[in-house]
Amino acid sequence: MHPQRGQAITARVDAIADLLPLDPAYRSLLLARGAIKGGLLVLLATIGSAFLPLPWWLPIGLALVPAVWLVLVAPIRAYRRAAYACADAQLRVVGGVLFRHDTIVPFGRVQHIDIDQGPVMQMFGLAALTVHTAGEHGASVTLPGLAPARAEELRQTIRAHIRQAEG
Amino acid sequence: MSDPADAGAVGTPRRLSPLGILLHSLTSAPQLIVPALAGLWSMKGNAIGTSLFLLFLAAVSVGIAVVRWSAFRYTVERDEIRIEQGILHRQTRAIPFDRIVDVGIEQQALARIAGLAEVTFDSGGGAGEEAKLRYVPLAEAHDLRQLVRGRGSVAASSEAAPEGPDLLFAMGPRRIVTMGFYSFSLVVFAIALAVARRLDFLLPDAWFDPDTWWTSVKHGGESLGSLGLWVEVLAGLAALAALAALGVLSGVIRAVTAWWDFRLERTIKGLRVRFGLLTRRDVTVPPGRVLAAALQTGPIRSRRGWQALQLVSLGGNGEAGAHITAAPFARADEIAAIMDELNLVPPERDLPFGRASAAVARDRFLLGAGLLGGLAVAGWWISPLISLALVFMAAGHGLRTWLHWRRRGRAVSAGQIVTRAGWRRRQILFARKDAVQLVTLTSGPVQRRHAVATLVFGLPSVTAAFEDIPVAEAEAIRDAVLRRIVPVDYAHLAALLAAPREKRAEA
């Protein structure tokens, strides 16, 4: 296990505190997304510099700083922050760079489970697991960046637990 | 149709009340206005043609209602209710009794006159899953509710409820009118003022115009002698008072129509609420479905001890919705009695509320003020007025931050999570730990500087957030709540919530 991963926001002594990393392909996906975002930002600044009464290099130069952060720093940090645990009858999802979140859902409160594979995710061979609980706002939690087989495995684990509790 | 011997029969298809056809035609009449106007315009004053056309429209509308009515049947089976409807596109929907979380009965003004009611079956799932019966006789509506309650899962959770109806809280006309006074609407007042300005020909000469007043004062020496100025001042004040009275009146009218004859009763099936002047609502909440209670008040009404109690109940996006008002306008002791009835710990006068981090509130204010200050400096080049406005904004931001920080509080009791928030709309939320669905801990850059985080408990239809709480304390509270809720499956939640407090305290 990666020793640094426990420091999301909190550290606990239970099994659920042993956070697992997301699939390495997820880092590639985040890097690709970051590159697109950074590229768009520079593109917008370039277009802007043509219309604004400023020296042409000023908007581009100003945009370059956040662009570099978006392309190189944010994806790496996001991947390092993102983690999950599925133990002690709970699912824990941790993530976020500037604004961090750490959510725990007891299996006993799960209403239904989705596995999503968008076109981009398929390119990287990834799937996202979403767990829904009762109620409307913020009542679901999504775990992105899993290998499809692992997502299926997690779903089976949670479903088996629910079936056993109801029976 | 509603032959009493037939009412309880199982498996016999039934029709809605034929009187409903008339109601449908009457309530859908406004939809005919556009075609009617179009027709009238094309007739260009031909009296016979016009009346024939209107007759034709009415006939078509009644005809459609009759065909719809004849195509609609519902059948009460042993363990489900089946509804068949549609003329070209036939649809049959079956709702098992044990999936029905609640049966709502509503009477619009016209339906009340006709003694009919609209019955909604709420299956607790998404909004689209419910079914409606428009309209059945009121007695049959109550029979249906009894039937479903008696057979479905709702009955299982009501064993703990005492027997016989018992009035817990009611509002007489005087209380409702008092509530109306506190509902004085600034918005209505502002609108009335704006309208009055447009209609100022009805008012004394341009009394809204400050110039008029200024000139009157300047030339006071001359006009003081004459009665003219004082008449104008008095007339102006009277007009202002009349507008204020309009604001009060609108509040009273709203309170009276919404809450007329409010009654909260304890019945075998749970808490029953009835209210409304034109549209009478009737909602019953089984005790096992109350997840949280919110005490609401405002800066002015709280001085006189007036509060409202709202309940959050499990499941249901339908009429018997998630938020139910148990007392719109009541005293603390009345509310304490109701909360006791619900197994919720009544609010103590001095609940030990924990404060949100002052350092974080201060940093947030400084961040906002710094940003506005920077803009104010930059804005000086354009116009000093902009800078002045920005400085005022920063001051307002500071005042708001301080007022909200002062009101914000958190507390944890044996079975509940309690949050206090809001300055203008004050609320204290009592949420049951057992009803928590998920727990999230979030933190932003400012919070991390001070080792605090926000702890959010997600419940069905409501969230309770402990803001800016030290991370270690947040973890301890979260872990304690999780230890309690992880072993309980959602399927057993209703039974757990319905159990009397003593029993739960043991567990």
Side-chain angles (χ1 to χ4, degrees), chain B residues 284-341:
Chain B
T284 302
V285 193
R289 303 241 323 270
V290 177
L291 314 171
L295 262 179
Q296 295 159 336
T297 185
I300 297 168
R301 60 183 70 186
S302 69
R303 284 184 194 284
R304 305 304 296 266
W306 294 115
Q307 295 170 322
L309 177 67
Q310 238 193 16
L311 305 179
V312 182
S313 89
L314 182 65
N317 302 330
E319 307 274 352
H323 296 260
I324 297 121
T325 304
F329 200 65
R331 298 276 185 205
D333 52 331
E334 292 168 327
I335 284 182
I338 301 169
M339 287 187 73
D340 196 46
E341 187 68 27

Side-chain angles (χ1 to χ4, degrees), chain A residues 9-12 88-90 92 97-106 108-109 111 133-136 138-139 165-166, chain B residues 317 434-445 448 460-461 471 475 478-479 482 485-486 488-493:
Chain A
I9 292 179
T10 66
R12 298 177 64 197
D88 301 339
Q90 298 159 66
R92 182 176 184 194
V97 180
L98 278 180
F99 293 90
R100 298 182 193 163
H101 55 87
D102 177 350
T103 302
I104 298 179
V105 187
R109 302 294 151 111
Q111 300 283 359
T133 67
E136 307 117 320
E166 272 179 352
Chain B
N317 302 330
D434 292 324
V436 169
Q437 305 291 314
L438 45 69
V439 193
T440 301
L441 204 53
T442 63
S443 70
R448 279 196 297 277
S461 315
V471 170
E475 282 173 16
R478 175 185 70 177
D479 293 355
L482 282 171
I485 65 170
V486 165
V488 181
D489 190 77
Y490 186 82
H492 311 300
L493 189 61

Side-chain angles (χ1 to χ4, degrees), chain B residues 104-171:
Chain B
I105 298 179
E106 191 179 319
Q107 286 189 289
Q108 304 271 347
L110 273 176
R112 271 188 90 189
I113 296 167
L116 300 178
E118 179 181 304
V119 181
T120 41
F121 298 99
D122 184 359
S123 58
E129 278 185 305
E130 58 189 309
K132 261 185 195 174
L133 299 180
R134 293 177 73 181
Y135 296 92
V136 297
L138 187 61
E140 194 177 333
H142 283 290
D143 283 351
L144 275 170
R145 174 140 83 179
Q146 289 292 348
L147 194 72
V148 173
R149 292 252 162 94
R151 294 182 190 184
S153 60
V154 186
S157 62
S158 62
E159 33 189 278
E163 279 156 43
D166 201 348
L167 192 65
L168 292 173
F169 176 71
M171 296 210 310

